[in-house]
Amino acid sequence: MLDAFFQGAHQVFAFDTLLYMLIGSVAGIVAAAIPGFTVTMAIILTLPLTFAMEPLQGISVMLAVYVGGYTGGLISAALLGIPGTPSSVATTFDAFPMARNGEPGRALSLGVWASFFGTIISTLVLIVAAPPLAIVAVRLGPWEYFSLIVFALTIVASLVGNSLIRGLIAGVIGLGLATIGPDPMMGRPRLTFDMDLLSPGLPFLVVLIGIFAISQLLGEVEVHGKKVNHALIPKSIDFKTWEVMREVLGRPVNLIRSSMVGVVIGALPGAGGSIANLLAYDQAKRSSKTPEKFGQGIADGVVASEAGNSATAGGGLIPLISLGIPGSAVDAILMASLMVHGVSVGPRLILDHADLVYGMFIALTVASFMMLVVCVASMRLFLRVTDIPKQFIVPTVMICCVIGAFALNNRVGDLYLLGIIGLVGYILKCLDYPLAPLVLGVILGPIAETNLRRALMSDGDWTVFLTRPISALFLAAAVLSVIFSIRSIWKAHKKDNGQKGAVV
Amino acid sequence: MTANTPKPAAADALASAATRARNELARLVSYIVFGLSAVYCAWRASALPASRWEPLGAGSFPKLVFIVLAVLCLFAAIKSVIDIQRNGGMPEAVYAFGRWLKIRRISFAIYGLLVVYLAVLSTLGFSLATFGFLLIAQLLIAGVTRRTVIQSVIAALVFSFGLNMLFADVFNVFLPRGVLIAF
């Protein structure tokens, strides 16, 4: 075992491997910082470049892109209020208000440190608990998955913002949008109204860009009073590297809980960083003594969301290494890169290629350190974005969104969808509808429907959802979550009424 | 100050009530649009044939979702009508709607420009269409002066032709070429 560990370490710490990893880390951060470009796209672009490398060298480079990509989404989320990737949706809730309140450096720094610690914690869990967690993850059937999604949907209650009913409407609109296009089980076209534009369905990324990015950018050029053309974030910038590190470490419960949420969600096939990001944020808000401060730029919100999404990197590797089952699209590409080199991925991977597996553990750790160094060293450069006047940044980011939506499937039709969804998103934003529940609905809708139909296809009895222990556990958690949310909303309402009474 | 002039606090309260009525009117319209669309979609989903292989079929889930949406919109619309009545009724709301549009005139202008840009993108090609979009959008936001025109032309050139070259040569992602095949 120790031989294999040293062999892996020897390959990862080779000069050329470290150099390629550094380039990969920078590429991942930059790609994910552009709205519309996902970690998956960055990994796909990297894959052909690794064919000529040794298997461990290739996968180390891809892991560097992966870890860098999960952090890169933070940059546009914090500075522009636009999630760079689907896995940084919840990051916008507190990082952007914090940046707007004059602390863009602190917002980025918190996110970077939380991502770093999240990845490190997930790597530790990966090393210790890979086999038992993988066995549990694989035992989950459609009943458990559906119950998990029901639980995840209860997050909507804590993302509703000013109005519960508008939050619920937005969440259900998201579920409805996800039903447009081919039915996920039989491929039958649904709600396409015989339009070619709708026949492939609404790509999730196009919905995300339209709803968040276009609406945010249009909101930036509203004229309240005198016409202004200053930078998006006018205050001075202070990165406060070490002070923020202590601040993140001063929240151990939040950090570990959010990382564990990321690990567990990452280990579940089909779930990923986008769900972990929202779920970790939701759990942090529920456990907080000051939940009303979430959404206004609280450090706990940034730490939870970034630790949650970054921890899925290690979590996703658990079923991949132990059982040869990829937890997400990115893990599937990592698996493909190993298969290209003739490495058979499955339960025997750790027995036949122990050096490779230990090398992956080491590479993941090295990649997270590299991400940290690259971010700390180059953050001042990224922060220059805040100095650029609106006249340049708004149209240019809009063009990046258009390229991102087009590059997804090389389909001009997706651009028309982007235009329509962008307008809907902007109007919803103007009318004070919370946008996060809508995106959550679009993410979770197809998973919920597929698993519900699969469950009922194999056994038409609805009580099975309650008789299977893990499924019943998730449903009980969902019920508790709803009760907790109603109690919180009722308490907030009572507090508001009390304050109004005091004023009168 | 004459006796007829409203006191500042009272004027603020009136304006605030009008704003609330305006917001609620706009929301009421959205609830009605979403509600009616949900009813239509639920009806379309229920017309989908049942499956022989599974109890639910393709139409059940969307039908359930859209019925829930329609019910939520109905509740929201009733609450909205009550709120509008409390805050001065429809005439105040219609007056305030004009101001709502005025605040967002540049946003809607940029959106209109985006629609035109997306419509001509495949014909003109990425470089030409993007150059035009960036130039006009930048001048719309910053205003037309000699300085902003020069800055906007340079930025538009870099992020249209430059970006196209970057994607084609470095990432091997080919954006629509349109009439400019050579690019």
Side-chain angles (χ1 to χ4, degrees), chain A residues 283-309:
Chain A
Q283 293 304 315
K285 186 176 175 184
R286 282 165 195 267
S287 320
S288 172
K289 286 176 185 166
T290 52
E292 71 282 356
K293 287 187 181 167
F294 275 71
Q296 295 172 8
I298 189 171
D300 276 321
V302 185
V303 170
S305 51
E306 277 304 299
N309 69 14

mmCIF file of all heavy atoms in Angstrom, chain A residues 283-309:
data_model
loop_
_atom_site.group_PDB
_atom_site.id
_atom_site.type_symbol
_atom_site.label_atom_id
_atom_site.label_comp_id
_atom_site.label_asym_id
_atom_site.label_seq_id
_atom_site.Cartn_x
_atom_site.Cartn_y
_atom_site.Cartn_z
ATOM 1 N N GLN A 283 -29.230 24.578 4.650
ATOM 2 C CA GLN A 283 -28.961 24.016 5.984
ATOM 3 C C GLN A 283 -28.295 25.060 6.886
ATOM 4 O O GLN A 283 -28.595 25.141 8.069
ATOM 5 C CB GLN A 283 -28.077 22.768 5.879
ATOM 6 C CG GLN A 283 -28.748 21.589 5.188
ATOM 7 C CD GLN A 283 -30.056 21.187 5.844
ATOM 8 O OE1 GLN A 283 -30.144 21.091 7.060
ATOM 9 N NE2 GLN A 283 -31.106 21.009 5.045
ATOM 10 N N ALA A 284 -27.391 25.864 6.301
ATOM 11 C CA ALA A 284 -26.720 26.899 7.093
ATOM 12 C C ALA A 284 -27.730 27.941 7.572
ATOM 13 O O ALA A 284 -27.683 28.387 8.721
ATOM 14 C CB ALA A 284 -25.631 27.563 6.254
ATOM 15 N N LYS A 285 -28.665 28.296 6.698
ATOM 16 C CA LYS A 285 -29.669 29.314 7.054
ATOM 17 C C LYS A 285 -30.583 28.796 8.164
ATOM 18 O O LYS A 285 -30.895 29.510 9.115
ATOM 19 C CB LYS A 285 -30.497 29.669 5.810
ATOM 20 C CG LYS A 285 -31.455 30.819 6.040
ATOM 21 C CD LYS A 285 -32.174 31.183 4.758
ATOM 22 C CE LYS A 285 -33.224 32.250 5.026
ATOM 23 N NZ LYS A 285 -33.996 32.561 3.828
ATOM 24 N N ARG A 286 -30.984 27.522 8.020
ATOM 25 C CA ARG A 286 -31.885 26.948 9.026
ATOM 26 C C ARG A 286 -31.207 26.832 10.389
ATOM 27 O O ARG A 286 -31.857 26.951 11.417
ATOM 28 C CB ARG A 286 -32.346 25.557 8.581
ATOM 29 C CG ARG A 286 -33.429 25.606 7.535
ATOM 30 C CD ARG A 286 -33.578 24.243 6.882
ATOM 31 N NE ARG A 286 -34.337 24.349 5.661
ATOM 32 C CZ ARG A 286 -35.644 24.173 5.578
ATOM 33 N NH1 ARG A 286 -36.332 23.905 6.656
ATOM 34 N NH2 ARG A 286 -36.271 24.273 4.429
ATOM 35 N N SER A 287 -29.896 26.537 10.374
ATOM 36 C CA SER A 287 -29.206 26.336 11.653
ATOM 37 C C SER A 287 -28.751 27.651 12.266
ATOM 38 O O SER A 287 -28.285 27.660 13.406
ATOM 39 C CB SER A 287 -27.973 25.460 11.457
ATOM 40 O OG SER A 287 -28.245 24.436 10.575
ATOM 41 N N SER A 288 -28.840 28.727 11.501
ATOM 42 C CA SER A 288 -28.300 29.999 11.987
ATOM 43 C C SER A 288 -29.211 30.629 13.053
ATOM 44 O O SER A 288 -30.429 30.462 13.024
ATOM 45 C CB SER A 288 -28.146 30.961 10.808
ATOM 46 O OG SER A 288 -27.810 32.224 11.271
ATOM 47 N N LYS A 289 -28.562 31.360 13.974
ATOM 48 C CA LYS A 289 -29.348 32.097 14.973
ATOM 49 C C LYS A 289 -29.908 33.382 14.362
ATOM 50 O O LYS A 289 -30.791 34.004 14.926
ATOM 51 C CB LYS A 289 -28.457 32.448 16.177
ATOM 52 C CG LYS A 289 -28.164 31.240 17.041
ATOM 53 C CD LYS A 289 -27.213 31.610 18.151
ATOM 54 C CE LYS A 289 -26.829 30.365 18.945
ATOM 55 N NZ LYS A 289 -25.685 30.594 19.813
ATOM 56 N N THR A 290 -29.337 33.791 13.214
ATOM 57 C CA THR A 290 -29.808 35.018 12.558
ATOM 58 C C THR A 290 -30.174 34.724 11.096
ATOM 59 O O THR A 290 -29.546 35.255 10.172
ATOM 60 C CB THR A 290 -28.720 36.108 12.602
ATOM 61 O OG1 THR A 290 -27.497 35.537 12.083
ATOM 62 C CG2 THR A 290 -28.489 36.638 13.983
ATOM 63 N N PRO A 291 -31.203 33.879 10.885
ATOM 64 C CA PRO A 291 -31.539 33.526 9.486
ATOM 65 C C PRO A 291 -31.987 34.727 8.666
ATOM 66 O O PRO A 291 -31.878 34.727 7.442
ATOM 67 C CB PRO A 291 -32.672 32.504 9.646
ATOM 68 C CG PRO A 291 -33.203 32.690 11.013
ATOM 69 C CD PRO A 291 -32.086 33.215 11.853
ATOM 70 N N GLU A 292 -32.503 35.762 9.347
ATOM 71 C CA GLU A 292 -32.993 36.940 8.601
ATOM 72 C C GLU A 292 -31.857 37.706 7.927
ATOM 73 O O GLU A 292 -32.087 38.490 7.006
ATOM 74 C CB GLU A 292 -33.811 37.866 9.531
ATOM 75 C CG GLU A 292 -33.032 38.636 10.594
ATOM 76 C CD GLU A 292 -32.630 37.799 11.805
ATOM 77 O OE1 GLU A 292 -33.003 36.618 11.885
ATOM 78 O OE2 GLU A 292 -31.903 38.341 12.679
ATOM 79 N N LYS A 293 -30.601 37.467 8.373
ATOM 80 C CA LYS A 293 -29.465 38.174 7.763
ATOM 81 C C LYS A 293 -28.988 37.490 6.483
ATOM 82 O O LYS A 293 -28.176 38.049 5.746
ATOM 83 C CB LYS A 293 -28.315 38.263 8.770
ATOM 84 C CG LYS A 293 -28.582 39.264 9.887
ATOM 85 C CD LYS A 293 -27.373 39.450 10.758
ATOM 86 C CE LYS A 293 -27.675 40.440 11.868
ATOM 87 N NZ LYS A 293 -26.648 40.432 12.907
ATOM 88 N N PHE A 294 -29.458 36.259 6.248
ATOM 89 C CA PHE A 294 -29.067 35.563 5.014
ATOM 90 C C PHE A 294 -29.691 36.286 3.825
ATOM 91 O O PHE A 294 -30.845 36.695 3.879
ATOM 92 C CB PHE A 294 -29.529 34.111 5.058
ATOM 93 C CG PHE A 294 -28.554 33.213 5.778
ATOM 94 C CD1 PHE A 294 -28.400 33.306 7.148
ATOM 95 C CD2 PHE A 294 -27.777 32.313 5.080
ATOM 96 C CE1 PHE A 294 -27.494 32.506 7.824
ATOM 97 C CE2 PHE A 294 -26.858 31.507 5.743
ATOM 98 C CZ PHE A 294 -26.717 31.599 7.118
ATOM 99 N N GLY A 295 -28.895 36.462 2.777
ATOM 100 C CA GLY A 295 -29.379 37.190 1.606
ATOM 101 C C GLY A 295 -28.981 38.657 1.645
ATOM 102 O O GLY A 295 -29.209 39.392 0.699
ATOM 103 N N GLN A 296 -28.384 39.073 2.776
ATOM 104 C CA GLN A 296 -27.976 40.482 2.875
ATOM 105 C C GLN A 296 -26.455 40.633 2.877
ATOM 106 O O GLN A 296 -25.940 41.720 3.097
ATOM 107 C CB GLN A 296 -28.541 41.084 4.168
ATOM 108 C CG GLN A 296 -30.051 41.133 4.181
ATOM 109 C CD GLN A 296 -30.613 41.554 5.537
ATOM 110 O OE1 GLN A 296 -29.873 41.950 6.427
ATOM 111 N NE2 GLN A 296 -31.908 41.441 5.687
ATOM 112 N N GLY A 297 -25.738 39.493 2.689
ATOM 113 C CA GLY A 297 -24.281 39.569 2.658
ATOM 114 C C GLY A 297 -23.639 39.034 3.916
ATOM 115 O O GLY A 297 -22.673 39.598 4.416
ATOM 116 N N ILE A 298 -24.143 37.904 4.418
ATOM 117 C CA ILE A 298 -23.594 37.307 5.642
ATOM 118 C C ILE A 298 -22.497 36.299 5.258
ATOM 119 O O ILE A 298 -22.624 35.585 4.249
ATOM 120 C CB ILE A 298 -24.723 36.655 6.471
ATOM 121 C CG1 ILE A 298 -24.220 36.226 7.852
ATOM 122 C CG2 ILE A 298 -25.341 35.475 5.772
ATOM 123 C CD1 ILE A 298 -25.334 35.775 8.791
ATOM 124 N N ALA A 299 -21.426 36.256 6.073
ATOM 125 C CA ALA A 299 -20.292 35.379 5.741
ATOM 126 C C ALA A 299 -20.696 33.906 5.741
ATOM 127 O O ALA A 299 -20.223 33.117 4.901
ATOM 128 C CB ALA A 299 -19.170 35.617 6.751
ATOM 129 N N ASP A 300 -21.586 33.510 6.671
ATOM 130 C CA ASP A 300 -22.004 32.102 6.752
ATOM 131 C C ASP A 300 -22.609 31.603 5.436
ATOM 132 O O ASP A 300 -22.426 30.445 5.059
ATOM 133 C CB ASP A 300 -23.041 31.930 7.876
ATOM 134 C CG ASP A 300 -22.354 31.749 9.225
ATOM 135 O OD1 ASP A 300 -21.329 31.059 9.253
ATOM 136 O OD2 ASP A 300 -22.842 32.310 10.224
ATOM 137 N N GLY A 301 -23.347 32.482 4.755
ATOM 138 C CA GLY A 301 -23.971 32.096 3.486
ATOM 139 C C GLY A 301 -22.931 31.800 2.418
ATOM 140 O O GLY A 301 -23.057 30.832 1.659
ATOM 141 N N VAL A 302 -21.885 32.622 2.353
ATOM 142 C CA VAL A 302 -20.832 32.426 1.348
ATOM 143 C C VAL A 302 -20.054 31.137 1.665
ATOM 144 O O VAL A 302 -19.794 30.317 0.780
ATOM 145 C CB VAL A 302 -19.863 33.633 1.324
ATOM 146 C CG1 VAL A 302 -18.844 33.484 0.200
ATOM 147 C CG2 VAL A 302 -20.616 34.940 1.172
ATOM 148 N N VAL A 303 -19.717 30.957 2.951
ATOM 149 C CA VAL A 303 -18.937 29.777 3.353
ATOM 150 C C VAL A 303 -19.718 28.501 3.034
ATOM 151 O O VAL A 303 -19.184 27.559 2.437
ATOM 152 C CB VAL A 303 -18.598 29.847 4.872
ATOM 153 C CG1 VAL A 303 -18.006 28.541 5.365
ATOM 154 C CG2 VAL A 303 -17.634 30.999 5.142
ATOM 155 N N ALA A 304 -21.003 28.472 3.412
ATOM 156 C CA ALA A 304 -21.811 27.258 3.214
ATOM 157 C C ALA A 304 -21.926 26.909 1.734
ATOM 158 O O ALA A 304 -21.694 25.756 1.335
ATOM 159 C CB ALA A 304 -23.193 27.457 3.816
ATOM 160 N N SER A 305 -22.272 27.905 0.908
ATOM 161 C CA SER A 305 -22.520 27.599 -0.500
ATOM 162 C C SER A 305 -21.243 27.153 -1.207
ATOM 163 O O SER A 305 -21.264 26.196 -1.999
ATOM 164 C CB SER A 305 -23.136 28.806 -1.203
ATOM 165 O OG SER A 305 -22.373 29.960 -0.959
ATOM 166 N N GLU A 306 -20.120 27.796 -0.918
ATOM 167 C CA GLU A 306 -18.878 27.437 -1.621
ATOM 168 C C GLU A 306 -18.273 26.143 -1.093
ATOM 169 O O GLU A 306 -17.752 25.330 -1.870
ATOM 170 C CB GLU A 306 -17.879 28.585 -1.523
ATOM 171 C CG GLU A 306 -18.107 29.666 -2.548
ATOM 172 C CD GLU A 306 -18.110 29.142 -3.982
ATOM 173 O OE1 GLU A 306 -17.096 28.594 -4.434
ATOM 174 O OE2 GLU A 306 -19.145 29.278 -4.658
ATOM 175 N N ALA A 307 -18.330 25.921 0.239
ATOM 176 C CA ALA A 307 -17.820 24.650 0.772
ATOM 177 C C ALA A 307 -18.675 23.505 0.233
ATOM 178 O O ALA A 307 -18.163 22.435 -0.124
ATOM 179 C CB ALA A 307 -17.846 24.665 2.299
ATOM 180 N N GLY A 308 -19.989 23.735 0.143
ATOM 181 C CA GLY A 308 -20.917 22.702 -0.339
ATOM 182 C C GLY A 308 -20.615 22.279 -1.765
ATOM 183 O O GLY A 308 -20.475 21.089 -2.052
ATOM 184 N N ASN A 309 -20.467 23.243 -2.681
ATOM 185 C CA ASN A 309 -20.256 22.831 -4.082
ATOM 186 C C ASN A 309 -18.854 22.257 -4.305
ATOM 187 O O ASN A 309 -18.685 21.299 -5.059
ATOM 188 C CB ASN A 309 -20.609 23.951 -5.075
ATOM 189 C CG ASN A 309 -19.661 25.125 -5.054
ATOM 190 O OD1 ASN A 309 -18.570 25.058 -4.504
ATOM 191 N ND2 ASN A 309 -20.081 26.215 -5.659
#
